[in-house]
């Protein structure tokens, strides 16, 4: 699994002459590490921040996954899944990503509304093993079981 984020970081040999270690430090590294760990929750392999998605331009196929607010960050971070090079993607893969982005837009705008739940259920009928859709469906299910836990 991979987490990708771009920005400033301190990279190099850090420590004293007795104990030297090559490492990377900073908020950029912390966010990339958090994204790597989130892959398990979403059933994905490569998660990227909005900064990476913007820098990659239109050469790669992405789909939106979530908005997270990592500890230490004032603003929420857009998280996307990198699906591969756009030139290598087939029409079915591109259509799945476009369809998911429509479902995700509904999630982001309307939350667990009836319309969103219908769209999400329809997506899961066509892609029952999709981890991202399963994650959001589970989140909505938990929110309806215990409205105090809505995220």
């Amino acid at each position: 699994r991979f987490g990708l984020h771009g920005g400033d970081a301190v990279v190099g040999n850090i420590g004293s002459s007795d104990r030297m270690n090559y490492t990377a430090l900073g908020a950029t590294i912390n966010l990339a590490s958090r994204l790597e760990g989130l892959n398990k929750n979403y059933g994905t392999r490569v998660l990227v921040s909005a900064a990476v998605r913007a820098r990659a331009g239109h050469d790669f196929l992405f789909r939106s996954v979530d908005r997270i607010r990592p500890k230490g960050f004032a603003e929420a971070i857009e998280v996307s899944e990198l699906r591969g090079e756009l030139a290598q993607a087939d029409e079915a893969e591109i259509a799945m990503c476009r369809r998911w982005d429509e479902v995700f837009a509904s999630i982001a705008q309307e939350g667990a509304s009836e319309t969103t739940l219908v769209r999400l259920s329809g997506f899961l009928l066509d892609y029952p093993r999709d981890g991202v859709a399963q994650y959001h469906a589970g989140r909505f299910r938990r929110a309806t079981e215990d409205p105090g836990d809505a995220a």
Side-chain angles (χ1 to χ4, degrees):
R1 296 182 187 119
F2 297 91
L4 303 175
H5 179 57
D8 295 332
V10 175
V11 180
N13 289 317
I14 298 177
S16 66
S17 59
D18 294 340
R19 188 173 176 104
M20 186 72 61
N21 195 12
Y22 188 83
T23 192
L25 302 169
T28 298
I29 303 303
N30 292 342
L31 181 56
S33 177
R34 288 184 179 133
L35 292 173
E36 184 274 331
L38 286 174
N39 278 294
K40 187 172 182 182
N41 295 351
Y42 299 114
T44 54
R45 293 181 46 97
V46 182
L47 289 177
V48 303
S49 66
V52 169
R53 186 172 179 168
R55 284 184 181 175
H58 299 289
D59 293 332
F60 294 89
L61 180 61
F62 296 95
R63 72 169 171 157
S64 300
V65 172
D66 211 345
R67 288 180 55 86
I68 62 167
R69 183 157 298 163
K71 194 181 290 186
F73 283 79
E75 299 289 321
I77 305 292
E78 294 278 340
V79 178
S80 298
E81 178 185 19
L82 172 59
R83 302 288 295 189
E85 288 185 69
L86 187 56
Q88 303 295 320
D90 61 19
E91 285 301 317
E93 180 81 4
I94 294 168
M96 186 278 292
C97 290
R98 285 189 180 136
R99 183 166 171 206
W100 171 255
D101 280 344
E102 291 171 3
V103 173
F104 183 76
S106 182
I107 291 169
Q109 292 171 358
E110 302 172 25
S113 72
E114 189 67 33
T115 302
T116 299
L117 294 175
V118 167
R119 287 182 179 154
L120 183 55
S121 296
F123 185 88
L124 279 167
L125 280 175
D126 292 337
Y127 305 97
R129 293 180 168 223
D130 185 73
V132 176
Q134 289 174 353
Y135 172 84
H136 287 286
R139 198 177 89 197
F140 289 152
R141 198 170 26 257
R142 288 187 300 277
T144 57
E145 289 170 0
D146 186 2
D149 284 348

